[in-house]
């Protein structure tokens, strides 16, 4: 059996290769829209004496908000001395997990496409290749479900920590009766919302691909051969 590289683009015309190409693209959108995010909310402080102050809440991937200073150094706001204050919350674990799964799937899709387009003759002539491909694909479906759910919860925590209620609860100054704090300009989180959508989309795409990979395994071929078609009837043995 020849094991050398033989370029053959025909797998891209079949579901096995075409869906893998789709997985490669959706993985890019998933981790790219999350990992490259940077935003800023503008908080307006309405002082009791008619004077207004402004603060900037800058946050970005991986969303370790507890390390981001909302007020850096002692300063005076609304005629009150305010010490260094950090934002509240840490969604780094869920965000990094989500991006990590996306990168792994991106790399695996490229490796699988290389095998499909250059070594399909080896892939189909062995039992190990399709079975390994199916096991990895099924495992990645599970990872997409877990990481997308975790990141959806982490994103909600980021939104809660950076909205008016979250900022007001963080700044002791905002708890006074003469000072009102309000987020007057929000950072666009459309990209983060899209990342969650692509996370679940990846789960469904990989689940669909798992079926096509399963059809390449000997498990499916053995099951098909053990069930004769409806047009076939067993001929009784002669007496």
């Amino acid at each position: 059996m020849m094991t050398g590289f033989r370029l053959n683009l025909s797998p891209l015309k079949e579901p096995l290769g075409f869906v893998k190409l789709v997985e490669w693209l959706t993985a890019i959108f998933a981790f790219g829209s999350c990992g490259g995010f940077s935003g800023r909310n503008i908080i307006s402080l309405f002082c009791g004496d008619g004077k207004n102050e402004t603060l900037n809440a800058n946050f970005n991937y991986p969303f370790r908000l507890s390390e981001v200073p909302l007020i850096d150094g002692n300063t005076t706001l609304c005629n009150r001395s305010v010490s260094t204050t950090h934002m509240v919350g840490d969604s780094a674990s869920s965000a990094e997990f989500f991006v990590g799964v996306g990168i792994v799937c991106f790399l695996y899709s490229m490796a699988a496409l290389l095998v499909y387009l250059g070594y399909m003759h080896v892939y189909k002539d062995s039992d190990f290749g399709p079975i390994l491909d199916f096991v990895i694909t099924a495992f990645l479906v599970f990872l997409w479900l877990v990481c997308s759910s975790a990141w959806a919860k982490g994103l909600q925590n980021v939104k809660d920590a950076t909205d008016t209620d979250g900022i007001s609860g963080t700044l002791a100054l905002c708890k006074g009766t003469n000072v009102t704090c309000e987020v007057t300009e929000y950072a666009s989180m459309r990209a983060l919302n899209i990342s969650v959508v692509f996370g679940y989309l990846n789960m469904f795409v990989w689940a669909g691909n798992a079926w096509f990979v399963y059809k390449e395994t000997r498990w499916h071929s053995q099951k098909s051969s053990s069930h004769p078609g409806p047009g076939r009837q067993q001929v009784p043995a002669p007496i």
Side-chain angles (χ1 to χ4, degrees):
M1 179 179 64
M2 296 184 63
T3 59
F5 181 85
R6 289 190 231 164
L7 180 62
N8 181 13
L9 300 180
S10 60
L12 291 178
K13 302 177 183 178
E14 301 174 1
L16 182 67
F18 177 76
V19 177
K20 191 65 68 178
L21 180 61
V22 173
E23 291 172 347
W24 180 74
L25 293 173
T26 54
I28 294 176
F29 283 110
F31 72 77
S33 55
C34 176
F37 180 83
S38 179
R40 180 184 66 178
N41 284 4
I42 297 179
I43 303 103
S44 296
L45 280 63
F46 302 99
C47 308
D49 57 0
K51 181 181 178 182
N52 295 338
E53 303 280 1
T54 301
L55 294 176
N56 293 326
N58 300 295
F59 53 99
N60 48 43
Y61 176 85
F63 308 103
R64 289 189 176 91
L65 302 182
S66 58
E67 299 179 2
V68 178
L70 189 58
I71 299 176
D72 193 6
N74 296 332
T75 186
T76 301
L77 295 172
C78 295
N79 298 322
R80 298 184 186 181
S81 179
V82 183
S83 60
T84 300
T85 304
H86 290 79
M87 300 177 69
V88 175
D90 189 345
S91 298
S93 58
S94 59
E96 290 175 338
F97 180 36
F98 181 82
V99 171
V101 171
I103 293 176
V104 168
C105 290
F106 166 76
L107 295 176
Y108 181 73
S109 298
M110 285 200 305
L113 281 172
L114 176 63
V115 172
Y116 294 166
L117 300 181
Y119 299 93
M120 182 56 78
H121 55 291
V122 179
Y123 179 87
K124 289 194 172 184
D125 287 342
S126 66
D127 292 334
F128 177 75
I131 290 176
L132 179 63
D133 192 12
F134 173 73
V135 171
I136 294 176
T137 300
F139 180 65
L140 291 177
V141 173
F142 173 74
L143 285 184
W144 274 120
L145 172 62
V146 175
C147 76
S148 298
S149 300
W151 171 228
K153 181 61 171 64
L155 176 56
Q156 187 59 51
N157 292 339
V158 172
K159 292 179 179 179
D160 292 340
T162 56
D163 65 8
T164 296
D165 292 338
I167 296 297
S168 298
T170 302
L171 285 173
L173 180 67
C174 299
K175 301 175 183 178
T177 57
N178 295 328
V179 180
T180 302
C181 300
E182 181 181 351
V183 178
T184 53
E185 184 176 331
Y186 285 88
S188 175
M189 295 192 184
R190 183 179 302 174
L192 298 182
N193 294 331
I194 290 175
S195 69
V196 174
V197 172
F198 270 99
Y200 285 110
L201 177 62
N202 270 284
M203 181 191 69
F204 288 111
V205 172
W206 282 81
N209 184 237
W211 165 249
F212 296 109
V213 176
Y214 171 73
K215 291 177 66 176
E216 299 295 329
T217 65
R218 58 183 173 86
W219 300 330
H220 180 267
S221 59
Q222 290 174 353
K223 184 177 179 180
S224 300
S225 61
S226 63
H227 293 80
R232 300 179 182 177
Q233 297 182 355
Q234 294 182 352
V235 179
I239 300 176

